[in-house]
Amino acid sequence: VGEVGLTGELRFIGNADKRIAELSKMGFKTCILPGACKGIEAKEMKLIFIDTIDELLKFGGVIFDENAG
């Protein structure tokens, strides 16, 4: 959840806690957020904080593996 800048940075998003709550209701188990959103907590969802698209690509098979919980 977030906004990507032209240089690949992930930007802060407003109401992230409400968005995460809705994603949880929809059955999502993992959410990737901009590092600027650190401090947000979710009881039943794994939150991953990254600062750039490059960091996201490094996760690759870990995040997008169907068997990863």
Side-chain angles (χ1 to χ4, degrees), residues 2 10 15 20 26 32-33 36 41 54 61:
L10 291 171
N15 299 316
I20 292 168
M26 294 169 50
I32 302 168
L33 295 160
E41 297 179 8
D54 288 338

Side-chain angles (χ1 to χ4, degrees), residues 32 48-50 54-64:
I32 302 168
I48 299 171
F49 297 96
I50 60 172
D54 288 338
E55 288 179 44
L56 174 63
L57 295 175
K58 288 178 186 176
F59 283 105
V62 175
I63 292 176
F64 301 108

Side-chain angles (χ1 to χ4, degrees), residues 13-32:
I13 54 165
N15 299 316
D17 54 340
K18 292 178 183 176
R19 295 175 193 217
I20 292 168
E22 288 300 317
L23 290 170
S24 183
K25 288 179 189 176
M26 294 169 50
F28 287 88
K29 302 292 180 198
T30 304
C31 184
I32 302 168

